[in-house]
Amino acid sequence: RAPEMRYRLLETVREYAQEKLRGAQELEAIRSQHLEWFMKLAERAEPELKGSNQKRWLEKLEQERNNLRAALAWSLEGGLVEQGVRMMAAVWRFWHLHGPLSEGRQWAEAMLAASSTTVPADVKSKALTCVGIMASLQGDYVRARSLLQENLTLVRELGNPKTLAAALHNLGLIVYSQGDYEAARPLFEESLAIEQELGDQHTMTLTLSSLGMIAHYQGDYAKARELLEHSLQLFRQLGDKERIANLLSNLGQVADAQGDYATARSLYEESLAIKHELRDNRGIAVMLNNLGSTALYQGDYETARARLQESLALFREVGSKQGLIYSLEGLAAVASARGQPERALTLFGEAEALREAVRAPLTPAERAGYEHRVSAARSRLSEKASDAAWAEGRAMTLEQAIEYALEQKL
């Protein structure tokens, strides 16, 4: 297929044309038409961003990034908030996968603020969902949970089963991410019952995979593997590469928990290849973090350090505080294993402060391993020295902690 031809204007020519349009009082009409066109493009892209054409549509949206920005800006300036919300809700996944996530969230937050009283309830629901999901991807669980709970209340009043199933699932993911599995499970189960009634295979598969991860974190590895492998098979049939990569990662976590590190590494590497293909920097960072953790379990501390530092730098770039926590804790564990207890405790202290800031407690499955690694580091120092190192980490700014973690200390 021949490449699509695109035309560009010199900036001076563009500014001249814009002034002529403004003088002829046509600029507002042209910008509104531009917004309408790109809103429709975004809505055409939405289903494609979850299917086998995902990569092609991500590249198409990347080409149109400045047009998307211009259209969103006009929706705010011109009072066309409903179109802007619909557009942002359709393509938030683009900012998730291609970044920067911080920019996507800024647009989404602006749309939500502008939609408080000026849009129908179903459009307001889209705005709440969009900001809630993007906030969660940045590790801002407090705001995410508040918004998605508000959305669930609104959606129950609207009475649309498909929208209700999605709202339940989205809130369940936040509750689950905070380690509250007993509260998350009924949200997923209610969502699954609606999806089964609707025959919605895609979202049903997502919910099954979420229930699989709850089983994993609660130590039921056989149930977790059964649910995750079934979900992976369905997503392979659907051709959803992003979800395939995520399921491979989830199965890798189950293999890690069972001590099958060779299988875990193979699953993570397959997932990483797909993340690279999609140019999903956040996903790449997650896979590097997972590979670093597996190397740590295998005693390959140099590989573990390198992978975890790569993941930390990428998590900083995409603005994921949740990811930063895992990378900092992983590097702390590496430092402890390499006989650097003071460095380990400084990193653990910063990770603890960050967990408290975003209200992301350790999960029950994570706690035992975490406490063992902290105790191992503390046992090599006096109580006074241990407390001082921990306090130093807690007192660091986030940027100071990242720079400290990226130092390649032997």
Side-chain angles (χ1 to χ4, degrees):
R1 182 171 108 162
E4 184 180 283
M5 186 170 290
R6 298 178 64 80
Y7 297 91
R8 297 182 186 277
L9 291 174
L10 288 171
E11 183 63 20
T12 51
V13 175
R14 189 193 67 79
E15 290 175 357
Y16 175 77
Q18 191 173 61
E19 282 303 313
K20 285 293 185 182
L21 284 170
R22 186 176 286 112
Q25 297 184 329
E26 294 179 34
L27 184 59
E28 289 189 7
I30 294 295
R31 292 187 75 179
S32 296
Q33 289 171 18
H34 178 272
L35 168 61
E36 185 71 18
W37 197 93
F38 278 97
M39 182 193 72
K40 289 178 179 176
L41 175 70
E43 291 181 333
R44 288 207 312 275
E46 185 175 15
E48 304 293 350
L49 293 176
K50 297 183 287 186
S52 57
N53 292 324
Q54 185 180 59
K55 183 172 183 284
R56 183 166 68 84
W57 275 87
L58 284 169
E59 290 171 351
K60 182 174 182 62
L61 292 175
E62 186 63 60
Q63 285 187 317
E64 303 294 356
R65 184 185 286 268
N66 285 333
N67 276 316
L68 295 174
R69 288 167 172 158
L72 289 167
W74 178 244
S75 75
L76 293 168
E77 294 170 31
L80 302 171
V81 179
E82 181 171 346
Q83 290 95 317
V85 171
R86 285 172 56 189
M87 183 175 163
M88 192 65 212
V91 294
W92 68 265
R93 195 178 298 277
F94 165 69
W95 270 283
H96 170 208
L97 295 173
H98 272 210
L101 189 57
S102 56
E103 181 191 1
R105 184 175 172 188
Q106 284 171 0
W107 284 117
E109 291 275 13
M111 294 298 161
L112 178 60
S115 68
S116 56
T117 58
T118 58
V119 298
D122 62 327
V123 178
K124 176 68 176 290
S125 171
K126 287 178 182 287
L128 288 166
T129 302
C130 192
V131 179
I133 291 173
M134 299 187 93
S136 73
L137 291 169
Q138 290 190 299
D140 188 354
Y141 296 125
V142 178
R143 178 149 176 78
R145 189 165 181 169
S146 172
L147 291 171
L148 294 176
Q149 182 64 65
E150 181 183 349
N151 180 57
L152 178 58
T153 302
L154 176 61
V155 167
R156 287 194 188 280
E157 294 172 2
L158 291 173
N160 182 319
K162 185 172 182 178
T163 308
L164 176 58
L168 288 160
H169 187 265
N170 289 332
L171 180 59
L173 286 174
I174 303 307
V175 175
Y176 151 84
S177 295
Q178 292 182 301
D180 191 354
Y181 304 130
E182 294 310 312
R185 186 190 298 278
L187 291 167
F188 287 136
E189 288 174 344
E190 185 182 353
S191 178
L192 182 63
I194 297 169
E195 291 154 2
Q196 288 172 331
E197 190 173 330
L198 293 172
D200 187 340
Q201 188 180 41
H202 192 278
T203 53
M204 183 173 65
T205 306
L206 281 175
T207 306
L208 285 171
S209 68
S210 297
L211 287 167
M213 287 307 289
I214 287 180
H216 160 64
Y217 281 123
Q218 292 186 321
D220 189 349
Y221 301 127
K223 182 67 173 177
R225 197 165 52 250
E226 175 191 345
L227 288 168
L228 294 173
E229 286 177 349
H230 180 60
S231 298
L232 177 60
Q233 180 184 6
L234 291 172
F235 275 128
R236 286 195 191 279
Q237 292 170 6
L238 292 168
D240 186 336
K241 290 188 175 182
E242 181 195 356
R243 303 300 184 188
I244 291 168
N246 292 344
L247 263 296
L248 290 165
S249 173
N250 292 344
L251 282 164
Q253 291 180 57
V254 176
D256 261 339
Q258 294 184 292
D260 186 356
Y261 304 129
T263 296
R265 186 175 64 251
S266 175
L267 289 163
Y268 292 148
E269 287 173 348
E270 185 181 352
S271 178
L272 179 62
I274 297 171
K275 295 294 186 180
H276 275 295
E277 182 184 347
L278 296 176
R279 295 171 57 191
D280 176 4
N281 283 341
R282 183 180 179 276
I284 292 167
V286 171
M287 288 309 101
L288 289 169
N289 185 86
N290 290 351
L291 285 165
S293 296
T294 301
L296 172 62
Y297 300 146
Q298 293 179 300
D300 184 354
Y301 303 137
E302 183 54 34
T303 297
R305 179 196 58 76
R307 294 290 177 268
L308 288 163
Q309 286 183 328
E310 286 181 77
S311 74
L312 183 73
L314 263 179
F315 279 132
R316 173 171 62 179
E317 183 181 316
V318 300
S320 173
K321 290 181 179 178
Q322 177 190 24
L324 291 172
I325 290 168
Y326 287 121
S327 294
L328 288 169
E329 289 176 347
L331 285 165
V334 172
S336 180
R338 297 176 76 172
Q340 300 169 332
E342 188 173 1
R343 178 174 172 80
L345 292 170
T346 300
L347 290 166
F348 276 130
E350 170 52 36
E352 179 187 68
L354 189 52
R355 278 192 180 278
E356 290 173 2
V358 301
R359 297 191 189 178
L362 288 157
T363 67
E366 293 168 336
R367 184 165 292 283
Y370 171 85
E371 290 179 349
H372 174 74
R373 288 189 287 271
V374 171
S375 295
R378 283 188 174 277
S379 69
R380 296 185 177 93
L381 294 172
S382 68
E383 184 177 350
K384 182 178 179 181
S386 295
D387 290 346
W390 196 280
E392 181 184 354
R394 287 188 60 90
M396 286 182 182
T397 66
L398 182 55
E399 193 57 33
Q400 286 171 337
I402 292 170
E403 289 302 320
Y404 179 79
L406 290 175
E407 293 173 3
Q408 295 190 18
K409 293 197 174 182
L410 298 178

